[in-house]
Amino acid sequence: MASEDWYRNERWGQEIEEDFFAKLKRSRSQKTQYVKIQAGYLIENYPEITLRLIKYARENCPADSWEQEFYLYESKAFYRLAEYEKAISCAYLSVEWRIKKPNHQTEIPYWLAELVLLSGSGKDYQKSLEILSKLHYPTPFPVTEFYFHGYTSLLYYRLGNIDAAKPEAILALSWADKDENLLQNKHKKNLGIFTKKQDWPYNEIVLIANK
């Protein structure tokens, strides 16, 4: 195992856990960051462990600088566990930390929109739309712009505003079709390209654009 891989485990078990905490105990600094990174790697397949690691970090090595990501990871973990109300509550707490520390940016505005759409939480459509609009800043990356305009379109559509939803859907699809980003560095033109046309929400956005 490479020296930096001990906090990037994609599998988990008693032996791995014991090794992780042994190395964490020996670490002289960045303990919270190591726990945060490890928690992120386990969201998909070990959401309960993600939640436990975040709880450990808050109790043993708290650091406000990572709270935006901790709440984001908790939200995703609760979603994996089908605990949608807890997932949404944690997403809003992550947004609060994003507003408190605007220089530290995560995917939380886009995740919140995706979360309320996937969970069908109609009471949160308007609020998540407002947060998405407030916290998004234009980027040179097609994938980010696709999700911003795409989720904006879907939220407008769910709210019954097809006149606002359709142009946003068309704009999202135009970003999805770009095969390079807007960076000036020609060696990095393939970064941030949208590649998931076979998945939701692309197909639903196509339907709205064709209304």
Side-chain angles (χ1 to χ4, degrees), residues 18 21 72 140 177:
E18 290 174 355
F21 280 106
L72 171 62
D177 286 338

Side-chain angles (χ1 to χ4, degrees), residues 100-136:
K100 287 179 186 178
K101 297 182 179 294
N103 291 331
H104 183 54
Q105 298 183 11
T106 68
E107 63 182 289
I108 185 57
Y110 317 104
W111 166 246
L112 174 62
E114 179 178 344
L115 174 61
V116 301
L117 287 164
L118 289 174
S119 62
S121 184
K123 63 184 175 62
D124 293 291
Y125 289 164
Q126 184 63 45
K127 185 175 180 180
S128 62
L129 179 62
E130 292 169 1
I131 289 171
L132 185 61
S133 176
K134 179 180 179 180
L135 297 185
H136 173 75

Side-chain angles (χ1 to χ4, degrees), residues 21-161:
F21 280 106
K23 287 184 169 65
L24 184 68
K25 186 176 181 179
R26 292 196 295 269
S27 300
R28 296 183 179 181
S29 63
Q30 298 182 308
K31 290 180 184 287
T32 313
Q33 185 175 3
Y34 293 146
V35 177
K36 187 268 298 183
I37 293 171
Q38 181 58 81
Y41 271 85
L42 298 174
I43 293 170
E44 190 74 14
N45 295 315
Y46 301 91
E48 299 95 340
I49 304 301
T50 291
L51 296 173
R52 184 152 60 85
L53 288 173
I54 293 172
K55 184 175 185 292
Y56 172 90
R58 287 185 174 133
E59 291 175 350
N60 295 277
C61 47
D64 286 354
S65 56
W66 299 116
E67 281 299 306
Q68 182 182 163
E69 282 168 287
F70 277 153
Y71 279 118
L72 171 62
Y73 291 174
E74 283 182 315
S75 177
K76 290 186 173 186
F78 280 126
Y79 177 77
R80 293 291 298 170
L81 295 168
E83 296 188 47
Y84 302 129
E85 288 299 320
K86 289 183 179 180
I88 292 171
S89 294
C90 286
Y92 282 132
L93 289 170
S94 183
V95 167
E96 289 180 14
W97 278 100
R98 167 71 173 265
I99 293 171
K100 287 179 186 178
K101 297 182 179 294
N103 291 331
H104 183 54
Q105 298 183 11
T106 68
E107 63 182 289
I108 185 57
Y110 317 104
W111 166 246
L112 174 62
E114 179 178 344
L115 174 61
V116 301
L117 287 164
L118 289 174
S119 62
S121 184
K123 63 184 175 62
D124 293 291
Y125 289 164
Q126 184 63 45
K127 185 175 180 180
S128 62
L129 179 62
E130 292 169 1
I131 289 171
L132 185 61
S133 176
K134 179 180 179 180
L135 297 185
H136 173 75
Y137 295 96
T139 77
F141 301 111
V143 65
T144 302
E145 297 306 307
F146 167 79
Y147 283 120
F148 168 64
H149 294 289
Y151 289 147
T152 298
S153 172
L154 289 167
L155 288 165
Y156 273 131
Y157 189 73
R158 299 275 181 95
L159 289 165
N161 189 345

